Amino acid sequence: MGTPDITHHGIPGRFVTEVDGHVANLDYEMADGRMHITHTRVPEAIGGRGIAGKLVEAAFHHARTEGWKVRPLCAYAEAWAGRHPEYADVLD
């Protein structure tokens, strides 16, 4: 599988991708210039392909571009951030 196409929807705060007919998403809320990542969801049918990581990476990249800080409230996003020190500058 190549890199999935990820779409950002500012309202609601969501990054979405569709793989093999299944929709995966990352949800966030904005507060005081901070992106609070609240949930990452990848259906079991398309799990294990690194899709959640691509969603989190897209969110962190977007936050950096916008000059936002990120607070990963979702356990997956928090673990991902711990494995990617190159995004430490955007962590809140």
Side-chain angles (χ1 to χ4, degrees):
M1 181 188 103
T3 301
D5 289 330
I6 297 174
T7 303
H8 176 236
H9 301 281
I11 300 174
R14 178 171 283 175
F15 288 84
V16 179
T17 190
E18 184 175 332
V19 177
D20 296 343
H22 299 276
V23 176
N25 63 279
L26 174 147
D27 294 334
Y28 70 90
E29 297 173 359
M30 289 300 298
D32 299 322
R34 289 176 181 81
M35 173 189 276
H36 295 192
I37 298 176
T38 57
H39 187 70
T40 305
R41 178 185 166 274
V42 176
E44 189 176 329
I46 57 171
R49 301 185 195 183
I51 296 167
K54 294 295 184 188
L55 287 165
V56 175
E57 182 177 22
F60 269 73
H61 179 76
H62 183 79
R64 179 182 278 159
T65 301
E66 294 295 323
W68 301 340
K69 290 293 186 180
V70 177
R71 184 171 290 166
L73 303 178
C74 151
Y76 181 87
E78 183 176 17
W80 184 93
R83 293 189 308 270
H84 292 85
E86 66 271 25
Y87 283 99
D89 61 302
V90 297
L91 282 174
D92 182 40

